[in-house]
Amino acid sequence: MEELEKLVEQMERGDISLEESLKSFERGIRLTRTCQQALQDAEQKVQILLEKNGQQTLEPFTDE
């Protein structure tokens, strides 16, 4: 995520060539896909942990 943020900042500054911008964009797309997959995996693990006896039981989140 940190690398993705750096790429975006660099591209927004506009101080790199078009070719470098395209390479950064491609890298950003790959990083985004990796982050999305990690999030989906985490959501799936949470879903599995919340299932009890074949029934979904949602519990309130407390930020304590």
Side-chain angles (χ1 to χ4, degrees), residues 33-47:
R33 289 181 180 152
T34 299
C35 290
Q36 287 173 340
Q37 185 61 52
L39 179 60
Q40 287 176 352
D41 292 347
E43 288 174 342
Q44 185 177 19
K45 288 177 184 178
V46 168
Q47 186 69 29

Side-chain angles (χ1 to χ4, degrees), residues 2-53:
E2 184 177 322
E3 183 181 353
L4 184 57
E5 289 174 359
K6 287 180 183 179
L7 285 172
V8 170
E9 289 174 9
Q10 187 180 39
M11 291 174 67
E12 285 178 341
R13 283 194 308 265
D15 58 354
I16 58 175
S17 69
L18 179 58
E19 185 175 327
E20 290 172 331
S21 291
L22 288 173
K23 287 180 183 178
S24 293
F25 178 76
E26 290 172 351
R27 177 70 179 147
I29 293 296
R30 286 192 301 272
L31 289 170
T32 299
R33 289 181 180 152
T34 299
C35 290
Q36 287 173 340
Q37 185 61 52
L39 179 60
Q40 287 176 352
D41 292 347
E43 288 174 342
Q44 185 177 19
K45 288 177 184 178
V46 168
Q47 186 69 29
I48 290 169
L49 291 171
L50 290 177
E51 289 180 1
K52 296 179 183 176
N53 298 326

